[in-house]
Amino acid sequence: MKKTRFTESQIINILKEGESGAQTVPELCRKHNVGQSTYYKWKSKYGGMPGRDRTLLTNMI
């Protein structure tokens, strides 16, 4: 099985950074060396979670 480069907590932090609106998605992806398609996959998987669920997921790791 392929090892992931980012932990779930890192993914959530990248998504939070994207939600803040400080940078555009292409700039954010370039900064973290991630493809835009990967960013949007992460967003569909983790982005719809309420803040409480994100915190629980982060604390479980």
Side-chain angles (χ1 to χ4, degrees):
M1 198 158 98
K2 184 178 179 182
K3 183 181 175 190
T4 60
R5 285 180 41 198
F6 297 97
T7 63
E8 289 180 336
S9 60
Q10 289 173 324
I11 293 169
I12 290 170
N13 288 333
I14 291 170
L15 292 174
K16 282 182 185 177
E17 194 176 332
E19 289 173 359
S20 71
Q23 296 178 327
T24 64
V25 173
E27 291 171 344
L28 183 68
C29 291
R30 235 178 278 120
K31 176 183 173 185
H32 294 285
N33 199 22
V34 183
Q36 288 185 34
S37 60
T38 302
Y39 174 84
Y40 286 113
K41 284 179 191 175
W42 288 346
K43 189 173 179 179
S44 68
K45 185 174 182 181
Y46 301 105
M49 284 186 192
R52 182 176 178 273
D53 290 343
R54 286 190 216 166
T55 305
L56 290 174
L57 179 64
T58 306
N59 290 338
M60 290 175 62
I61 299 173

